């Protein structure tokens, strides 16, 4: 994985259906949009809590760092003209690079995230090969549950494994108690624990100071070459990982808990949302110039359930962040959940990262109507094509979406629909980046 301003507590405006670009989803989308509006207006929608820190602008943070030499990605997400289509890719610092494999061969995965110098080095590695328009800090979405007291390890051949699955109220109460003990609080009644933990999340988020140090160091060493992206996992995605405890194809445990104990799941998601928000705020103050929230398990949920168990907490995260950092650009990735695009048209996020099943041009035009943008969404499988074929497919995708390139699109950042795989050819990524930059050039 590496890697919202209307309040969710506000009454929504009546929904006017936008352009339906996938006929097979049209009926579902209409129902889901209605359901989402009902959810937002209901009393169960999470409320934004008072914030402990003073608001800060990006300009204030920028004063501490070298001036930008390439701000195309920032200009794109803000709807400003660009001189080339900006591009970066998820997992651009990863195992497809021989130099990454060599540098990390004696370093345990989470130790790489926890060492600011190592994380900085890995973030910058792809810039030695490619003319990228953004970097994303080397880290992992699961540092958040780690910081909340859950034990997770990265096991070779298995991926992330939680020592103890999170599946009962008693387990979650123990997590809350542990968090409160960390800030010197004990004896809180169980029904008041979650609220007290939320109150203390600004302090608790300091457990991830190594990420903030890595961001500050990396942005300084980027020296204005490109913006630096900070990120976190969506509350729903973090819950799925903690509940399932290991890779799964059936998502049995999280689905069972969601349907049988929805109040418990909402309680967990709300606390996680506040923790994630405070984590992101501190990334911005450390120097992150854009933020991305990865809902990597969005596809686990049917549309109606995604609107209940994921969307409100994605919105809560962004609302809290935007209240504190009002001009920070934010991207959300609802992985493999194409129905989510319509539900995000009036969210606090500035850009939606698309999966490859969506039509890029139609999705871009839809979001443009709402002063928002899109990122993506070329299929990662293009990386397995011969280089000449890859170049032709990338150029064709851009031409179909945006015309001949005589006018470069605003509010668009090129990316893959998901991240780089270990068996992909590094040379093909260079061709991918160069072809995107060449679009519209005469």
């Amino acid at each position: 994985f590496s890697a919202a301003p209307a309040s969710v507590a506000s009454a929504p405006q009546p929904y006017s259906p936008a352009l339906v670009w996938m006929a097979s989803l049209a009926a579902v989308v209409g129902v889901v949009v209605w359901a989402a509006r009902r959810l937002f207006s209901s009393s169960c929608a999470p409320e934004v809590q008072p914030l402990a820190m003073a608001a800060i602008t990006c300009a204030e943070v920028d004063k501490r760092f070298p001036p930008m030499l390439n701000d195309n990605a920032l200009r794109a997400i803000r709807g400003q003209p660009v001189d080339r289509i900006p591009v970066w890719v998820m997992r651009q610092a990863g195992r497809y690079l021989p130099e990454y494999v060599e540098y990390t061969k004696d370093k345990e995965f989470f130790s790489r995230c926890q060492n600011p110098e190592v994380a900085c080095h890995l973030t910058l590695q792809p810039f030695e090969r490619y003319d990228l328009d953004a970097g994303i800090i080397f880290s992992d979405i699961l540092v958040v549950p780690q910081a909340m007291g859950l034990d997770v390890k990265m096991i070779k051949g298995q991926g992330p494994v939680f020592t103890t699955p999170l599946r009962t109220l008693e387990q979650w109460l123990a997590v809350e108690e542990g968090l409160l003990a960390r800030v010197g609080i004990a004896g809180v009644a169980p029904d008041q624990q979650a609220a007290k933990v939320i109150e203390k999340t600004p302090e608790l988020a300091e457990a991830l100071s190594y990420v903030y140090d890595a961001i500050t160091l990396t942005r300084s060493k980027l020296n204005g070459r490109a913006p630096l992206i900070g990120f976190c996992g969506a509350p729903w995605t973090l819950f799925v990982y903690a509940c399932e405890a290991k890779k799964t194809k059936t998502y049995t445990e999280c689905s069972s808990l969601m349907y049988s104990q929805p109040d418990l799941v909402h309680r967990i998601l709300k606390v996680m949302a506040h923790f994630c928000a405070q984590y992101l705020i501190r990334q911005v103050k450390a120097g992150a110039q854009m933020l991305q929230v990865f809902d990597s398990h969005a596809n686990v949920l049917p549309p109606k359930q995604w609107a209940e168990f994921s969307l409100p907490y994605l919105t809560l995260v962004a609302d809290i962040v935007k209240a504190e950092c009002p001009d920070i650009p934010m991207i959300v990735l609802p992985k493999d959940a194409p129905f989510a695009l319509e539900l995000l048209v009036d969210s606090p996020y500035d850009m939606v990262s698309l999966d490859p099943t969506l039509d890029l041009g139609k999705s871009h035009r839809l979001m443009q109507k709402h002063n928002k943008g899109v990122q993506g969404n070329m299929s990662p499988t293009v990386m397995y094509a011969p280089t000449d074929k890859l170049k032709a497919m990338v150029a064709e995708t851009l031409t179909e979406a945006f015309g001949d390139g005589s006018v470069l699109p605003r509010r668009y950042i090129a990316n893959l629909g998901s991240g780089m795989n270990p068996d992909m050819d590094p040379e093909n990524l260079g061709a991918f980046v160069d072809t995107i930059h060449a679009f519209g050039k005469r």
Side-chain angles (χ1 to χ4, degrees):
F1 338 96
S2 312
S7 169
V8 292
S10 300
Q13 296 299 313
Y15 180 76
S16 176
L19 175 64
V20 177
W21 68 98
M22 296 178 67
S24 62
L25 285 176
V28 173
V29 166
V31 171
V32 171
V33 169
W34 174 84
R37 302 298 185 221
R38 292 292 304 270
L39 279 167
F40 281 150
S41 62
S42 71
S43 59
C44 69
E47 296 179 356
V48 177
Q49 301 294 321
L51 298 171
M53 301 172 71
I56 188 169
T57 65
C58 292
E60 292 176 84
V61 178
D62 291 346
K63 293 176 183 177
R64 306 187 345 246
F65 296 98
M68 293 303 299
L69 304 175
N70 171 12
D71 64 349
N72 275 302
L74 292 171
R75 296 179 66 80
I77 199 168
R78 290 170 176 157
Q80 299 167 343
V82 295
D83 56 36
R84 67 186 190 187
I85 293 178
V87 56
W88 68 280
V89 296
M90 290 171 272
R91 289 200 298 268
Q92 63 190 26
R95 289 177 291 164
Y96 73 100
L97 291 174
E99 56 268 35
Y100 175 95
V101 175
E102 176 64 24
Y103 183 77
T104 60
K105 64 184 180 182
D106 59 349
K107 299 175 178 67
E108 187 273 331
F109 179 79
F110 283 112
S111 74
R112 305 170 201 170
C113 304
Q114 294 160 359
N115 185 315
E117 288 76 19
V118 171
C120 173
H121 180 87
L122 293 173
T123 304
L124 297 178
Q125 264 189 349
F127 283 90
E128 298 304 311
R129 282 180 176 258
Y130 312 118
D131 186 15
L132 296 162
D133 295 291
I136 184 165
I137 193 66
F138 183 87
S139 187
D140 192 90
I141 63 173
L142 296 182
V143 300
V144 168
Q146 278 187 333
M148 297 181 74
L150 301 176
D151 185 41
V152 56
K153 294 179 173 61
M154 198 68 71
I155 308 297
K156 187 173 182 179
Q158 299 182 53
V161 175
F162 284 72
T163 304
T164 304
L166 177 61
R167 295 174 185 170
T168 69
L169 174 61
E170 290 72 24
Q171 288 176 318
W172 181 247
L173 289 175
V175 171
E176 292 178 346
E177 289 172 2
L179 289 168
L180 292 175
R182 197 184 299 172
V183 293
I185 296 174
V188 179
D191 63 342
Q192 298 175 17
Q193 274 187 182
K196 182 58 70 173
V197 171
I198 287 170
E199 179 186 324
K200 294 297 180 180
T201 49
E203 187 176 345
L204 292 166
E206 293 301 328
L208 290 160
S209 61
Y210 59 84
V211 177
Y212 317 140
D213 292 343
I215 287 172
T216 300
L217 177 62
T218 304
R219 180 164 175 191
S220 297
K221 289 197 172 184
L222 270 170
N223 200 32
R225 183 170 178 175
L228 182 61
I229 301 171
F231 70 93
C232 75
W236 167 256
T237 286
L238 300 181
F239 164 72
V240 171
Y241 275 111
C243 184
E244 294 293 338
K246 60 184 178 181
K247 282 186 178 179
T248 177
K249 293 182 179 180
T250 61
Y251 299 96
T252 303
E253 302 298 338
C254 65
S255 299
S256 176
L257 200 63
M258 174 182 70
Y259 290 119
S260 65
Q261 299 186 61
D263 290 346
L264 171 58
V265 175
H266 281 297
R267 176 173 179 155
I268 294 170
L269 293 171
K270 186 173 182 180
V271 172
M272 285 184 166
H274 280 270
F275 200 107
C276 288
Q278 295 301 329
Y279 175 47
L280 291 176
I281 289 167
R282 280 151 187 76
Q283 290 186 53
V284 174
K285 296 191 175 189
Q289 294 156 281
M290 301 165 63
L291 299 173
Q292 179 156 315
V293 179
F294 288 82
D295 197 359
S296 304
H297 288 313
N299 62 316
V300 175
L301 295 169
K304 184 176 180 180
Q305 280 68 41
W306 187 81
E308 178 182 353
F309 288 95
S310 188
L311 180 58
Y313 300 99
L314 285 169
T315 303
L316 178 60
V317 169
D319 275 338
I320 296 172
V321 172
K322 294 273 190 172
E324 188 114 356
C325 309
D327 58 350
I328 188 69
M330 295 187 72
I331 306 168
V332 61
L333 169 67
K335 187 178 179 184
D336 297 333
F339 60 81
L341 185 66
E342 286 244 2
L343 296 178
L344 290 162
V345 295
D346 61 353
S347 81
Y349 290 90
D350 304 283
M351 186 170 275
V352 179
S353 198
L354 307 174
D355 70 72
T357 66
L358 287 165
D359 183 287
L360 176 58
K362 290 180 180 178
S363 300
H364 180 257
R365 290 190 290 275
L366 168 66
M367 299 307 281
Q368 281 273 74
K369 293 179 181 179
H370 299 270
N371 294 318
K372 298 185 185 299
V374 297
Q375 176 177 269
N377 64 330
M378 294 177 214
S379 172
T381 60
V382 302
M383 288 296 168
Y384 298 114
T387 302
D388 287 345
K389 179 67 173 177
L390 179 150
K391 291 179 178 179
M393 289 191 293
V394 170
E396 181 181 29
T397 297
L398 294 175
T399 300
E400 289 176 351
F402 306 118
D404 63 6
S406 56
V407 178
L408 293 179
R410 301 192 187 193
R411 301 188 189 276
Y412 174 61
I413 297 175
N415 208 315
L416 297 173
S418 59
M420 293 290 291
N421 294 328
D423 61 351
M424 288 175 173
D425 184 352
E427 298 304 316
N428 267 3
L429 180 54
F432 177 81
V433 170
D434 292 343
T435 303
I436 289 165
H437 284 163
F439 181 72
K441 299 290 176 68
R442 294 291 185 265

